[in-house]
Amino acid sequence: MKMWKRGILVLLAFSMIASGAFAQAKTFKLKLGHVAATDEPYAVAAQKFADLVKAATNGNVTIEIFPNSVLGSSRDLIEGLQLSTVDATLCTAAVLSNFLPKAQVIELPFMFNSREHVYKVMDGPLAAEIYAGAEGKGLKIVSTWENGFRNITNNVRPIVTPADMKGIKIRVQESQMYIDLFKALGANPTPMARGEVFTALQQKTVDAQENPMGQIYTSRFYEVQKYLTLTGHSYSPEVLIFSLNTWKKLPAEYQTAIMKAAQEARDFDRKLSAEKDAEFVKLVKEKGMQVTTLTPAQVEAFSALMEPVWEKYYKVIGKDLIERISNTK
């Protein structure tokens, strides 16, 4: 009888230890900042990610989301990761490339022909080459989410051919590649943080901007822009990055939980982004924007002018890597 009771007590003790492992563990409150409005697909996915992490860690890891550039621009946020003033961020490869030059290959103009092409590259072994050196910069790359294919809006005229871009003052991301891209089209690119764009368009400091549909709609650019052209000239990811210092403080089981949650949120974001693109186009039309959809031949006319841009970035990124990504089936 005593042996039986002792066995029950051991089992109860083991059960309490197992169920209480997370409960007794150290807790972490993390800050994730990004520049999107709360109703953009990747912002919705960021909140889902926080919820998944909280559930998977029994509430011991909570992630507070700071949208709308509350903690600064994308560049500020990456510097915050390095300084450990921010724990995580979602940012485009264009901004990340200021720290990891090879990352800009993702946004090389007309690099990808479909979302499936993007995912094959970014979820495969090539991603390690693209993000090589991140940890040496104090960054932990967790996964590659989606912002989307970028399109041009402007207030001057419909953009149908590259010649229509001539002389247009266009806001671009703080990225030399985007400056080079639009100079090749004959435009006058002006680098600017996202938070300044609406006012710059409203005050006619610039004539145009380019962004994925989620940002075009949720930033209400239809209020200050007349024309939209669906150029799909480059693809912007949203890279989920943690501060390496923060990452190293997390126990292995929490790191695993975060990686798993990040993949689930990434897939949710990509699906939502693809579904929303057509809806956002319809909505901006209803708001009065004139929308131009380019034919494959018209897209090719834009793409053909990118040869010198690609040649320039062969030196920065590596011709071999660019060709392997371009040729991925």
Side-chain angles (χ1 to χ4, degrees):
M1 191 70 170
K2 285 182 180 179
M3 287 292 290
W4 180 79
K5 284 184 178 178
R6 187 180 297 167
I8 290 292
L9 289 169
V10 168
L11 283 170
L12 283 170
F14 179 79
S15 175
M16 288 171 69
I17 290 167
S19 64
F22 273 154
Q24 293 169 12
K26 188 176 178 183
T27 59
F28 296 86
K29 291 185 178 179
L30 309 181
K31 293 190 290 186
L32 187 157
H34 62 73
V35 299
T38 53
D39 48 354
E40 283 182 41
Y42 82 81
V44 175
Q47 188 56 58
K48 182 178 180 68
F49 170 62
D51 294 342
L52 289 167
V53 170
K54 184 176 181 180
T57 61
N58 208 24
N60 287 320
V61 179
T62 54
I63 299 175
E64 187 175 1
I65 308 294
F66 294 85
N68 283 311
S69 307
V70 169
L71 299 182
S73 68
S74 289
R75 184 166 188 143
D76 295 334
L77 288 163
I78 296 178
E79 289 171 352
L81 300 180
Q82 295 177 314
L83 297 168
S84 299
T85 55
V86 181
D87 299 299
T89 190
L90 285 153
C91 83
T92 66
V95 179
L96 177 59
S97 69
N98 291 300
F99 304 83
L100 300 175
K102 285 187 178 181
Q104 62 197 314
V105 73
I106 309 169
E107 302 200 35
L108 197 63
F110 300 98
M111 164 60 82
F112 294 106
N113 52 42
S114 67
R115 282 181 158 92
E116 290 70 30
H117 185 185
V118 175
Y119 306 156
K120 182 78 171 177
V121 171
M122 299 316 305
D123 299 344
L126 285 171
E129 291 185 52
I130 292 167
Y131 296 135
E135 296 199 2
K137 301 284 187 178
L139 308 173
K140 171 66 181 177
I141 308 293
V142 174
S143 62
T144 305
W145 298 14
E146 178 160 293
N147 193 347
F149 283 95
R150 304 179 77 88
N151 305 294
I152 298 169
T153 70
N154 86 99
N155 251 342
V156 180
R157 54 182 165 261
I159 304 298
V160 182
T161 71
D164 296 324
M165 290 298 300
K166 189 171 178 59
I168 286 181
K169 292 180 291 182
I170 184 166
R171 174 269 173 179
V172 297
Q173 299 182 77
E174 296 167 283
S175 157
Q176 186 59 47
M177 181 183 284
Y178 278 88
I179 294 170
D180 294 336
L181 189 170
F182 284 98
K183 278 186 175 176
L185 294 176
N188 298 325
T190 302
M192 189 184 297
R194 176 174 164 172
E196 302 167 25
V197 180
F198 187 92
T199 303
L201 293 168
Q202 192 174 43
Q203 296 177 348
K204 304 191 188 308
T205 308
V206 291
D207 306 310
Q209 66 82 49
E210 52 83 46
N211 259 304
M213 283 310 305
Q215 291 181 22
I216 289 169
Y217 180 73
T218 61
S219 298
R220 306 190 328 278
F221 290 144
Y222 52 80
E223 293 181 5
V224 288
Q225 296 275 269
K226 185 173 181 181
Y227 305 106
L228 164 66
T229 302
L230 301 173
T231 49
H233 53 269
S234 63
Y235 175 88
S236 275
E238 286 297 325
V239 188
L240 178 60
I241 316 168
F242 270 66
S243 160
L244 188 60
N245 286 338
T246 296
W247 189 259
K248 286 180 174 177
K249 289 174 186 174
L250 297 168
E253 63 267 29
Y254 291 168
Q255 292 176 353
T256 300
I258 288 168
M259 294 293 272
K260 185 177 178 185
Q263 287 187 346
E264 187 174 336
R266 174 201 69 194
D267 293 346
F268 169 83
D269 169 45
R270 289 173 176 178
K271 184 172 184 290
L272 184 63
S273 176
E275 289 171 352
K276 284 283 189 180
D277 260 9
E279 181 184 331
F280 288 138
V281 171
K282 180 173 176 285
L283 288 169
V284 298
K285 277 185 182 177
E286 289 172 2
K287 296 291 185 181
M289 289 193 87
Q290 183 177 319
V291 179
T292 300
T293 302
L294 301 179
T295 66
Q298 288 168 332
V299 172
E300 181 56 36
F302 283 84
S303 177
L305 294 176
M306 294 302 112
E307 190 173 333
V309 180
W310 276 49
E311 285 180 0
K312 176 179 177 178
Y313 287 91
Y314 282 156
K315 297 168 191 169
V316 180
I317 298 162
K319 186 175 181 179
D320 175 64
L321 180 59
I322 288 173
E323 289 183 343
R324 280 186 289 138
I325 292 169
S326 179
N327 294 330
T328 296
K329 302 299 180 188

